[in-house]
Amino acid sequence: MTTADVRALRELLPDGRVFDDVDVLEAYRNDRASFCPAGVPAALVRARSTEDVSTTLAWAHRNRVPVVPQGARSGLSGAANALDGCILLSLEKMDQILDIDASDQIAVVQPGVVNGVLAAKVAEHGLFYPPDPGSRSISTIGGNVATNAGGMCCVKYGVTGDFVRALEVVLADGRVMRTGRRTAKGVAGYDLTHLVVGSEGTLGVVTEVTVALRPAAAQPLTAVAFFPTVVDAARTVTGYLAEGYRPSVLEFMDWPTVQAVQKLADLGFPEGMAGMLLVQSDRGDAAPGDLAAFEAVARANDASEVVVADDPAEGELLMQARRLVGDAHENLGVAVLVDDVCVPRRSLVDLVEGLGRISEQYQVEVLCAGHAGDGNMHPSVVFDASDEAESARAQQAFDAIMELGLELGGTITGEHGVGHLKRRWLGEELDEAALSAQRAIKAALDPHNILNPGRVFPEQGEITSRSA
């Protein structure tokens, strides 16, 4: 884009939408991923309506200008990073809750609505929006849709896509498409709604989301268990769930992660343990029995201590500790490369044992927390970014973790998305036919490849033997 191009775009949009100030553009260049390059954008569009988005994309389509959609930029895969000469299309100002329908138990929202804000608002109506990523206080519904985000309650309730009923999407050429419906059922035509969910801004820009809600759950009871080894904790997860229990939360934190969190909020956790599990049950009168069963399984797997929080406030404090993991990483004062592998629960023990071997092999510290109940773990490689050799080993350790996840029958990403960070690995996970089909869909909906180009799909030089 030239200065004249920016001026032409500004003339098409209402005042206060297009920015090209260097300091403003610099503030919007990155999401929170490590090892992901960020280019120099030509302009930022702060959309306030579907029409703003449509006008921007129609112009970009005609002029072959790349567009990078952005929400809160809280992602961890580089999908919202700027490209040289691109338009950054920010949806953060589209932050209205348009409708809460208690009779049909749905909400209609714009993409810039913050997850936690929506959850609090529907609670006023006696309703519950379950998807709750650890970043729910800052991440937006549009971003959650883009990556099909999960969260703490996935073990029982599912991920974002399980609650998306309908979308308004602006296609690459500016046309506005509505997918899905408000009704609980509907199978007319292809399921375009769930094609767009998880597409990371490569197929269209979401400007409205209709989500399903649930009746408010009972106030949960919480328990925490401490273990002398991370393997004992992993065995407890598989053993407890194998008995048929479905907690509303089942989270894991290893000791280095707990130490990092306690620098922000000292909860008095015992010294010397290797890992902890945090479990909640929201089954009302059945919850005490659920937690008693958890305690029995945990003690059978050598838990050193199990504490059941009778006070809901204490339980929420424990949950807040888990939600502080991201902030704790930033407070470490070193670089952190966050992974996002998901494996079958039967493979959790193999995963945590493998993380220890990878840490030792590459001589970098690997912290781990995650949604143990659904096998989605977030190993985090900690390293000194100013040390070139250590940075290289950190990248090798990160790749080794993804390779381990695939070897165990898992996936390279459970909720953070592929973005730029993992695009090379998509070719490892998908077979040739699947990769080809996905490229064909991309080409059909975005023939000029203006929407987030270079994200998700491996570049030609990155293609592996499986996807060649």
Side-chain angles (χ1 to χ4, degrees):
M1 291 181 69
T2 65
T3 302
D5 289 330
V6 175
R7 185 166 56 248
L9 181 60
R10 183 176 279 122
E11 290 174 354
L12 292 173
L13 291 164
D15 290 343
R17 301 296 196 273
V18 180
F19 302 83
D20 60 354
D21 180 87
V22 173
D23 291 337
V24 173
L25 296 181
E26 179 64 27
Y28 280 78
R29 286 180 62 225
N30 298 84
D31 65 13
R32 294 190 174 191
S34 301
F35 286 121
C36 291
V40 179
L44 167 72
V45 174
R46 286 190 181 132
R48 292 181 178 270
S49 68
T50 299
E51 185 178 359
D52 290 348
V53 176
S54 177
T55 298
T56 301
L57 290 186
W59 185 90
H61 180 78
R62 289 194 303 271
N63 292 279
R64 311 294 195 266
V65 175
V67 177
V68 177
Q70 293 184 331
R73 304 185 313 282
S74 59
L76 292 165
S77 67
N81 282 8
L83 300 168
D84 286 338
C86 78
I87 298 170
L88 297 175
L89 179 54
S90 172
L91 288 304
E92 64 184 343
K93 297 297 185 182
M94 295 181 64
D95 59 356
Q96 299 300 303
I97 297 175
L98 303 174
D99 185 26
I100 297 175
D101 187 332
S103 60
D104 278 327
Q105 295 182 354
I106 61 170
V108 183
V109 306
Q110 291 184 316
V113 172
V114 171
N115 181 293
V117 171
L118 175 62
K121 194 66 177 178
V122 301
E124 296 174 8
H125 296 259
L127 297 169
F128 174 36
Y129 180 63
D132 63 336
S135 59
R136 72 174 183 175
S137 64
I138 57 171
S139 67
T140 59
I141 297 299
N144 294 169
V145 169
T147 63
N148 198 10
M152 311 296 179
C153 294
C154 291
V155 61
K156 180 174 182 178
Y157 293 105
V159 297
T160 298
D162 295 316
F163 290 85
V164 176
R165 286 200 183 167
L167 297 171
E168 180 183 82
V169 184
V170 182
L171 298 177
D173 60 5
R175 289 179 297 159
V176 180
M177 173 178 73
R178 298 199 72 91
T179 74
R181 53 203 54 81
R182 292 170 67 106
T183 55
K185 285 183 169 182
V187 293
Y190 293 141
D191 187 356
L192 297 179
T193 301
H194 292 98
L195 173 64
V196 173
V197 172
S199 62
E200 302 184 54
T202 62
L203 299 181
V205 178
V206 172
T207 51
E208 184 181 290
V209 187
T210 301
V211 295
L213 306 172
R214 293 202 175 196
Q219 183 74 43
L221 287 184
T222 308
V224 62
F226 305 99
F227 298 88
T229 73
V230 292
V231 170
D232 294 329
R235 286 177 178 147
T236 298
V237 172
T238 55
Y240 181 54
L241 296 177
E243 291 188 5
Y245 292 96
R246 283 297 175 267
S248 52
V249 169
L250 184 48
E251 295 290 306
F252 169 79
M253 295 166 63
D254 67 6
W255 176 238
T257 302
V258 171
Q259 286 181 305
V261 168
Q262 291 207 129
K263 292 178 182 178
L264 300 179
D266 187 0
L267 299 174
F269 290 151
E271 297 283 339
M273 55 94 167
M276 61 166 276
L277 292 175
L278 176 66
V279 61
Q280 285 191 331
S281 173
D282 60 3
R283 294 206 307 136
D285 292 342
D290 292 348
L291 296 191
F294 170 77
E295 180 174 2
V297 175
R299 293 197 181 281
N301 284 284
D302 297 326
S304 56
E305 187 176 354
V306 181
V307 178
V308 177
D310 296 325
D311 181 1
E314 184 181 358
E316 182 53 36
L317 189 63
L318 292 169
M319 281 295 291
Q320 184 61 25
R322 172 62 184 89
R323 295 187 192 282
L324 283 172
V325 168
D327 291 339
H329 284 163
E330 293 185 4
N331 196 50
L332 287 173
V334 292
V336 180
L337 185 52
V338 182
D339 214 322
D340 169 42
V341 293
C342 188
V343 299
R345 287 193 296 260
R346 67 175 183 273
S347 298
L348 270 177
V349 170
D350 296 325
L351 177 65
V352 297
E353 287 183 324
L355 295 178
R357 292 193 299 270
I358 289 169
S359 176
E360 182 176 349
Q361 178 180 354
Y362 294 102
Q363 299 178 341
V364 289
E365 187 175 15
V366 179
L367 282 61
C368 189
H371 315 305
D374 53 22
N376 185 194
M377 302 292 267
H378 299 313
S380 300
V381 184
V382 178
F383 62 101
D384 180 357
S386 66
D387 185 326
E388 186 174 339
E390 188 168 320
S391 296
R393 295 199 306 274
Q395 181 67 71
Q396 291 171 329
F398 179 86
D399 288 344
I401 292 168
M402 284 191 286
E403 185 173 6
L404 174 63
L406 291 177
E407 288 175 353
L408 294 175
T411 175
I412 60 171
T413 175
E415 57 187 4
H416 292 172
V418 176
H420 176 91
L421 185 64
K422 296 188 174 186
R423 65 183 188 180
R424 178 172 72 86
W425 284 92
L426 187 67
E428 292 283 356
E429 180 164 335
L430 300 183
D431 59 36
E432 186 278 331
L435 193 59
S436 175
Q438 294 197 24
R439 288 186 187 277
I441 292 168
K442 166 69 170 171
L445 294 179
D446 182 16
H448 298 320
N449 192 29
I450 67 163
L451 287 173
N452 232 0
R455 273 58 193 268
V456 179
F457 299 108
E459 297 290 323
Q460 198 64 37
E462 297 173 327
I463 291 179
T464 64
S465 58
R466 290 188 61 183
S467 58

